[in-house]
Amino acid sequence: MADPLFGQLALVGIGHIGASIALAARRAGVVGRIAISTRSPATLKRAEELGLGDVYFADAADAVRDADLVIVCVPVGASGEVAKQIGPHLKAGAIVSDVGSVKAAVIKAMAPHLPSAVHFIPGHPLAGTEHSGPDAGLVDLFQNRWCVLTPAETVDPAAVEKLMAFWRALGANVEAMSAEHHDLVLAITSHLPHLIAYNIVGTASDLESGIRSEVLKFSASGFRDFTRIAASDPTMWRDVFLNNKEAVLEMLGRFNEDLATLTRAIRNGDGDTLFELFTRTRAIRRSIVAIGQDTAAPDFGRRDHTKPSSP
């Protein structure tokens, strides 16, 4: 049997994404040992009960000492503090990455605290559900999903390729780009849709009680889908919007302009404008299905989270 890519993986934070990495890395055989750290005693205990790692630490510094790969799996607002905590204890040659949905702010927060002897390669697996905590880990979460890496131009290409190989072994497609480009793209593909979902569900919750109960009772698939997105971890998404505000505000401005156009079309009975937009967006949906980034199955192919994932 071939040696694993990394002798020891340290996961700092063990929620939905961290737990999924642990499960997928174990199945793929790309790590020899998994060290897990989290500040919450209850979460650490649960991770141990689930057998997600081999060793468990309340102090992140202890988890990273012997690690060849460190992946920080905490809300982006906490990434700088984690880097400050683990920086002095990282071994030379280790790869340090993260899973945050924002990259430029994470780099600004983490890089000053990391020694020059390590390879800092920020990352973002574009996968996840609205569930959180170690029990939400899914061994196949990254299968055929994208993982974006945003290394600086000065980072050793061999280290970048090794981290790419790790994510490919977990089932992901991998691409590298600049942090700024990543943040702009994700502002429209992920951050703005979440903001819209939070706002629509918030609007529904502010309705008069009688109307609100009817909204919940007769929720059609569109509203149900918004509630699924709006059920995502509030700490994580608060930090995303605060740390990618320039790109989000730019995309929100464009969105508001397009929404004003639709408002005028509805007010003026302009069916041609509505039909043209709906036709164009329908084609985009079909393109997403065609390239394998979603499915045309009923309910968008979303599995019941309570059922075990396939091996």
Side-chain angles (χ1 to χ4, degrees):
M1 184 176 178
D3 291 335
L5 273 173
F6 297 97
Q8 180 160 309
L9 163 67
L11 296 169
V12 181
I14 193 67
H16 171 44
I17 298 297
S20 297
I21 292 173
L23 292 170
R26 181 87 73 193
R27 183 177 70 173
V30 288
V31 297
R33 196 165 80 139
I34 300 175
I36 289 173
S37 170
T38 182
R39 294 183 303 174
S40 166
T43 302
L44 192 64
K45 180 181 178 182
R46 184 56 183 155
E48 187 169 5
E49 290 171 349
L50 293 168
L52 295 176
D54 298 292
V55 287
Y56 304 85
F57 302 96
D59 190 340
D62 294 327
V64 306
R65 288 183 202 279
D66 300 316
D68 305 289
L69 172 61
V70 176
I71 303 181
V72 176
C73 306
V74 301
V76 295
S79 59
E81 186 58 37
V82 167
K84 184 178 180 180
Q85 183 181 2
I86 67 175
H89 308 283
L90 295 165
K91 75 176 188 179
I95 294 175
V96 179
S97 190
D98 77 305
V99 297
S101 185
V102 178
K103 296 274 66 83
V106 164
I107 292 170
K108 184 178 180 181
M110 292 185 68
H113 304 296
L114 301 177
S116 59
V118 305
H119 308 289
F120 181 36
I121 308 173
H124 178 206
L126 276 64
T129 72
E130 72 274 24
H131 302 284
S132 58
D135 285 279
L138 295 170
V139 69
D140 59 351
L141 181 67
F142 311 109
Q143 196 66 42
N144 201 32
R145 298 303 175 195
W146 284 98
C147 180
V148 176
L149 303 182
T150 61
E153 294 181 358
T154 55
V155 173
D156 184 356
V160 175
E161 183 51 46
K162 192 173 184 180
L163 186 57
M164 285 184 167
F166 172 84
W167 280 107
R168 291 190 188 106
L170 271 56
N173 305 311
V174 189
E175 187 164 321
M177 63 180 66
S178 72
E180 292 74 21
H181 185 69
H182 165 277
D183 289 353
L184 192 61
V185 170
L186 267 293
I188 187 62
T189 62
S190 176
H191 304 167
L192 185 57
H194 275 80
L195 188 66
I196 293 168
Y198 281 120
N199 194 55
I200 287 177
V201 176
T203 298
S205 73
D206 289 337
L207 295 172
E208 295 178 3
S209 59
I211 299 176
R212 184 170 65 244
S213 64
E214 297 297 282
V215 168
L216 299 179
K217 180 178 179 180
F218 298 115
S219 290
S221 59
F223 186 75
R224 285 201 308 271
D225 221 42
F226 278 122
T227 62
R228 181 189 64 81
I229 296 172
S232 299
D233 183 79
T235 300
M236 180 183 77
W237 282 99
R238 175 202 64 192
D239 287 1
V240 165
F241 291 120
L242 293 179
N243 286 278
N244 197 30
K245 62 182 179 181
E246 289 81 8
V248 169
L249 288 172
E250 178 181 340
M251 291 302 170
L252 188 59
R254 297 189 186 191
F255 175 82
N256 285 332
E257 290 176 5
D258 292 338
L259 188 60
T261 299
L262 282 179
T263 301
R264 287 193 298 271
I266 294 170
R267 180 182 295 116
N268 298 331
D270 183 358
D272 290 343
T273 294
L274 298 175
F275 186 82
E276 187 277 330
L277 174 64
F278 300 161
T279 301
R280 180 158 46 91
T281 56
R282 187 184 193 191
I284 291 173
R285 168 65 191 170
R286 288 174 172 174
S287 297
I288 290 174
V289 172
I291 63 175
Q293 289 302 298
D294 210 332
T295 170
D299 201 27
F300 295 93
R302 294 191 177 92
R303 60 174 173 261
D304 183 350
H305 183 79
T306 62
K307 296 178 180 178
S309 54
S310 57

